[in-house]
Structure formats: C-alpha cells, structure tokens
Amino acid sequence: MNTLQLITALASFSAFLVYVFLMWFVLNLNQKELLNKLCALTIASFAVWSFSSTFLHSATSLHTAKLWTNVSSIGWCSFPVFAFWFYAAFSNHDKLLKSRSFIAMCLFLAAFFTYQQWKGNLIVDLVRQPYGWSNVWAISPVSIGFSMYYILFVVGCMYF
C-alpha cells in the first residue's frame, strides 16, 4: 500500500468513526424521538459508505475492490431515502412517513438500485489510481434512472 492509499484509507476510516460517534450522540439525546432515529439512520448510510471505502481503496485486486464497491452501495443507494425521510420529519411533513405504501416505495427504490449495483449495472468497472480505485459508471437507462432517483430525492429535501 502506497502513501496515498494509506491516507485515503485512514481518512475513510476516520470518517467512519466520526459517523459512529454522531449516531451514538444523536441517539443518546433522545432515543424515542422519530427525528433522532431518522438522523441516525441517515448517518448510518454514510457510516456504511465510508467503512467500505476504507477497504475499497486499500484493495489489492479488482475482485476485492468490486466487492467493497458493492458493499458501499448499501450506503450510497439508501442515503437519498433516509435523508428525505429525515427532512420530511424535520419540516413537519411527516404525514408522508405514516403512509406504508410511500415507505415501501422508498425502500424498494433503495433496494432496487443496490441490487442493480450488485448485478454490475451502475458501476461497471474500477480503475487503479495512486490513491486507490476509481469508478467507471455505466451509461445506461439504469444509471440514468439512478441519477434521476438521486436528483428527485435531493430536490425533495431542498423543497422541505
């Protein structure tokens, strides 16, 4: 492992530790409050993302790097949904969160795009860089759908 890979891995692991501390802090403020739970859930997606990035950038083979990219997709595919739920609760639009069909649709979207990543339809290749691995995204209807999914939920957050 070269110096840049070590710095990247340490930065990712440090971010993971900060996220774990923030989840603990937010939940310790009030474990029963929905807003705190949703905030911790949003932070948890970042924790998964940064934890797997630690191993992604220090991976020695393409196969291992792809595995850690897929694990990190659990975080980056679920983040928009969890952030949207947090912003909905934070801005008193929590009527949406009482709809089981809305919750199911959101969870389906996160699971669908995570599955698409695991099938190799979003990030199609990884390129070795001095700092670790770089992603090569597919140019396909699925990746465009993923971009629209991200944009839709981010715009929803901005609206709230």
Side-chain angles (χ1 to χ4, degrees):
M1 180 183 304
N2 67 34
T3 306
L4 288 176
Q5 281 179 298
L6 181 63
I7 290 170
T8 304
L10 288 175
S12 294
F13 190 71
S14 298
F16 165 73
L17 293 176
V18 169
Y19 292 139
V20 169
F21 172 76
L22 286 173
M23 284 188 317
W24 173 82
F25 179 76
V26 165
L27 288 175
N28 266 344
L29 289 176
N30 187 351
Q31 290 182 357
K32 297 183 194 268
E33 184 68 35
L34 176 65
L35 192 61
N36 292 52
K37 290 177 186 177
L38 292 174
C39 182
L41 192 59
T42 303
I43 295 169
S45 64
F46 283 116
V48 169
W49 192 350
S50 61
F51 181 76
S52 56
S53 291
T54 301
F55 297 101
L56 165 66
H57 293 296
S58 61
T60 55
S61 71
L62 179 62
H63 177 73
T64 306
K66 283 185 179 183
L67 172 69
W68 286 110
T69 298
N70 290 342
V71 171
S72 74
S73 71
I74 296 167
W76 50 261
C77 288
S78 62
F79 157 71
V81 168
F82 298 152
F84 184 81
W85 290 351
F86 171 76
Y87 277 96
F90 186 71
S91 62
N92 293 322
H93 288 92
D94 44 0
K95 266 192 290 185
L96 287 171
L97 302 176
K98 293 177 181 161
S99 167
R100 289 186 179 190
S101 59
F102 177 75
I103 297 295
M105 182 211 47
C106 290
L107 291 175
F108 171 78
L109 284 171
F112 173 77
F113 286 115
T114 302
Y115 174 77
Q116 290 300 316
Q117 172 53 36
W118 281 76
K119 293 291 285 178
N121 295 329
L122 293 176
I123 295 175
V124 292
D125 197 14
L126 295 166
V127 178
R128 185 75 139 157
Q129 299 290 341
Y131 57 84
W133 294 89
S134 178
N135 300 328
V136 177
W137 281 81
I139 300 174
S140 68
V142 174
S143 66
I144 293 169
F146 178 76
S147 296
M148 298 309 295
Y149 156 75
Y150 240 76
I151 290 168
L152 177 70
F153 278 89
V154 168
V155 166
C157 290
M158 290 175 10
Y159 172 75
F160 288 146

